[in-house]
Amino acid sequence: MSFTPLTLVLSAALVGYLAFVSPLLGRRSYDRLARSRDQDPVVYRRMCTLWCAELWALAAVALLIVAVEPGLDAAGIGLVIKNPPSDTLGTITGFLVAAAIGVFVLRRLAARGKSIPGQQAVTHLLPRTAAERWYAAGLSVTAGITEEIVYRGLLIAVGMGVFGLSENVAAFAALAVFVAGHLYQGWRGMLAVTLIGFGLTALYLRTGSLLMPILLHALIDLRGLLLVPQPRRELVGNAG
């Protein structure tokens, strides 16, 4: 697959933004949230809104690339349902059962005063009020949809079409950019993102569809922000 000059320009701009600009902006925004959240009651909602707007804008660019590129269509970036509905339902059910068990285990750890794995990396993203929970839910669903379209669907197609990479190498490169986008979580958080991203990538390559990765991504983020016990306020204020 060879892309047209317009597609090459749009793809290069998108990849450059995702790999270098977005991680730095995300880290700066998260650090600002950590510094001013206790003093500014709307900073959390403002940041969630901005992050959602950015993600939807990136997805729009990805879909624009698909629209203007003759050699690329929705199926080429995984926007197609290939599995029978029964298989999809079974996978979702299995994940929900596993998620419920995971939440139970995490709550038991919290009840015993033990730290929850991975929570420290996103301490300041955890909602504290009912209103913030709605913003967190919106951010989780937004990330599940848009990040899979951009990082999994489009970037793998771009890696293969623009750089002539094999599917596996293009997937690895896309995963690296996806992990870089979570720079604000620090190296421990990025390690967890790598493991999750690897699983989502493997699922996409196996099924050829983004349906399951989108659903699982959104559910993972919802679990991480909404379905785990919140840390004590004094710990939140001192976390960095």
Side-chain angles (χ1 to χ4, degrees):
M1 181 194 306
S2 59
F3 285 1
T4 63
L6 176 59
T7 308
L8 291 174
V9 172
L10 290 174
S11 299
L14 180 62
V15 172
Y17 181 87
L18 292 173
F20 302 106
V21 180
S22 183
L24 295 177
L25 290 179
R27 179 63 180 269
R28 180 180 178 182
S29 180
Y30 186 78
D31 288 345
R32 184 184 304 116
L33 174 68
R35 291 193 306 268
S36 59
R37 188 173 183 185
D38 290 332
Q39 292 76 37
D40 187 350
V42 301
V43 65
Y44 181 88
R45 287 172 282 174
R46 187 187 307 123
M47 193 198 74
C48 286
T49 301
L50 290 176
W51 280 16
C52 285
E54 179 192 30
L55 288 171
W56 283 114
L58 292 172
V61 173
L63 295 178
L64 175 62
I65 291 174
V66 174
V68 302
E69 173 52 47
L72 193 60
D73 57 16
I77 62 168
L79 294 180
V80 62
I81 299 176
K82 293 187 176 182
N83 288 338
S86 59
D87 292 347
T88 300
L89 180 60
T91 303
I92 294 174
T93 301
F95 177 82
L96 290 176
V97 171
I101 295 174
V103 170
F104 174 78
V105 172
L106 292 176
R107 290 187 179 278
R108 293 293 295 175
L109 288 174
R112 296 177 180 178
K114 297 181 179 180
S115 61
I116 298 175
Q119 194 179 49
Q120 188 65 26
V122 293
T123 296
H124 299 288
L125 277 181
L126 300 176
R128 300 177 181 174
T129 66
E132 288 183 353
R133 288 176 67 84
W134 283 106
Y135 279 85
L139 179 61
S140 298
V141 174
T142 291
I145 297 171
T146 61
E147 289 186 353
E148 291 306 312
I149 292 174
V150 174
Y151 289 100
R152 226 75 61 197
L154 185 75
L155 287 193
I156 293 177
V158 166
M160 297 171 64
V162 175
F163 300 104
L165 303 176
S166 67
E167 184 178 63
N168 288 336
V169 174
F172 178 82
L175 177 59
V177 177
F178 174 69
V179 174
H182 295 77
L183 177 67
Y184 69 93
Q185 294 189 16
W187 72 268
R188 291 184 179 178
M190 293 171 73
L191 177 60
V193 169
T194 300
L195 297 176
I196 294 172
F198 180 83
L200 294 172
T201 299
L203 181 61
Y204 171 53
L205 295 181
R206 183 173 66 85
T207 63
S209 171
L210 285 177
L211 174 61
M212 286 308 305
I214 285 174
L215 290 174
L216 295 181
H217 191 152
L219 289 171
I220 289 170
D221 285 0
L222 286 169
R223 192 282 303 171
L225 294 184
L226 299 179
L227 300 180
V228 295
Q230 303 299 300
R232 290 175 298 178
R233 182 61 57 88
E234 60 268 22
L235 294 181
V236 172
N238 295 328

